[in-house]
Amino acid sequence: MSKKNIPNSFDDSKLPKGRISVERSLEIDRLMESRLDEIKNKLKQTAIKIENESNAK
Amino acid sequence: MKERFHYPLPRDEVKSIRQAIQKIRFAKEEYLYVFKGGKQILRFIGDESQVNIPEQYLFQLPDTVVVHNHPNNVSFSFEDIDMALFHNISKLIVSTPDFIYEVHRSGKSWDINFEKTETLNFFYACQSIARAELEKLIAQNQMTPKELELKLFHYIWLFFFNKFSIQYVQKKHPK
């Protein structure tokens, strides 16, 4: 059995480089806002499906 | 494990989490503070994209508040959250030039484990749906592909932590 690696790094090297302005960031949040509840509900169904598939194995 | 370690700096004059957030907000390298009982117990400097903690300091992380900075305005990386969950950090804060991102453990442990296949699969589902939803804004010419990448992790964590009823917030710096 292999020894589990203990995470030891706050490694952000895979995050994108660059910077978004605060105005654009908030504008995108406003555009997304009306869809958030629908997306969260969709993900609740996805989570149930994932758990059911896992339990079936 | 990362082999290029960042060894701790001496504690500095910062006396509160709020002060730490402001002090490292515009830094070009990543700095990391560890607070326990409201007091600064450890401080590290990393490089422009990570802070690696040597093994002998990891035992001090449970039940602490950890503050570090991202030189861009991007939310937590997967590895940030993995560190918080694995070491049972009670609150993880990222300070960026324009925003503060916070995720707060609700009880004495997170009860989320990325070693469980279903948790990891749910993370991937959040990633996939967040990307698909943001791509709709690109299709409507309301955002650019670069902006998608910079906002993606915020939406992944917003959706991911919602399932576990864990508080995740993006907020502006106080004036």
Side-chain angles (χ1 to χ4, degrees), chain B residues 44-99:
Chain B
F44 291 85
I45 181 171
D47 55 36
E48 70 284 350
S49 63
Q50 59 195 315
V51 185
N52 305 327
I53 312 289
E55 192 177 351
Q56 64 266 37
Y57 299 98
L58 294 173
F59 80 97
Q60 296 189 68
L61 293 179
D63 303 316
T64 58
V65 176
V66 172
V67 183
H68 76 293
N69 64 302
H70 286 174
N72 50 21
N73 271 334
V74 179
S75 183
F76 302 107
S77 63
F78 179 87
E79 287 76 9
D80 288 340
I81 299 300
D82 193 34
M83 283 291 283
L85 304 185
F86 190 93
H87 296 290
N88 205 23
I89 291 165
S90 69
K91 190 174 189 177
L92 188 64
I93 301 171
V94 160
S95 177
T96 77
D98 294 317
F99 294 104

Side-chain angles (χ1 to χ4, degrees), chain B:
Chain B
M1 285 180 73
K2 292 277 171 184
E3 290 178 359
R4 193 159 64 85
F5 295 128
H6 296 116
Y7 282 88
L9 298 169
R11 286 190 293 265
D12 66 5
E13 76 289 355
V14 165
K15 297 219 177 329
S16 68
I17 291 162
R18 184 181 289 193
Q19 275 182 21
I21 290 168
Q22 292 309 316
K23 183 166 181 186
I24 62 179
R25 177 178 172 187
F26 295 108
K28 302 291 181 210
E29 307 84 24
E30 292 202 7
Y31 286 83
L32 185 139
Y33 285 89
V34 182
F35 288 87
K36 192 155 200 172
K39 289 184 179 171
Q40 183 193 148
I41 61 165
L42 286 170
R43 183 170 74 106
F44 291 85
I45 181 171
D47 55 36
E48 70 284 350
S49 63
Q50 59 195 315
V51 185
N52 305 327
I53 312 289
E55 192 177 351
Q56 64 266 37
Y57 299 98
L58 294 173
F59 80 97
Q60 296 189 68
L61 293 179
D63 303 316
T64 58
V65 176
V66 172
V67 183
H68 76 293
N69 64 302
H70 286 174
N72 50 21
N73 271 334
V74 179
S75 183
F76 302 107
S77 63
F78 179 87
E79 287 76 9
D80 288 340
I81 299 300
D82 193 34
M83 283 291 283
L85 304 185
F86 190 93
H87 296 290
N88 205 23
I89 291 165
S90 69
K91 190 174 189 177
L92 188 64
I93 301 171
V94 160
S95 177
T96 77
D98 294 317
F99 294 104
I100 302 164
Y101 296 93
E102 293 184 1
V103 64
H104 198 172
R105 197 181 72 193
S106 52
K108 290 191 173 177
S109 68
W110 290 92
D111 296 326
I112 306 173
N113 187 347
F114 282 132
E115 287 176 44
K116 285 173 72 178
T117 307
E118 55 265 38
T119 307
L120 206 52
N121 285 345
F122 183 67
F123 169 82
Y124 290 135
C126 292
Q127 188 177 39
S128 171
I129 288 178
R131 182 175 288 281
E133 292 295 329
L134 290 167
E135 279 173 350
K136 288 179 188 171
L137 295 182
I138 294 179
Q140 295 161 2
N141 291 322
Q142 291 181 305
M143 76 185 292
T144 66
K146 182 69 184 173
E147 287 172 336
L148 181 153
E149 296 304 329
L150 293 166
K151 289 295 292 184
L152 181 62
F153 270 91
H154 167 59
Y155 283 99
I156 292 172
W157 298 126
L158 188 71
F159 300 146
F160 181 82
F161 286 117
N162 177 68
K163 175 189 185 278
F164 301 98
S165 302
I166 285 172
Q167 192 185 5
Y168 162 79
V169 290
Q170 168 194 271
K171 55 189 185 186
K172 286 170 75 177
H173 288 275
K175 288 186 178 167

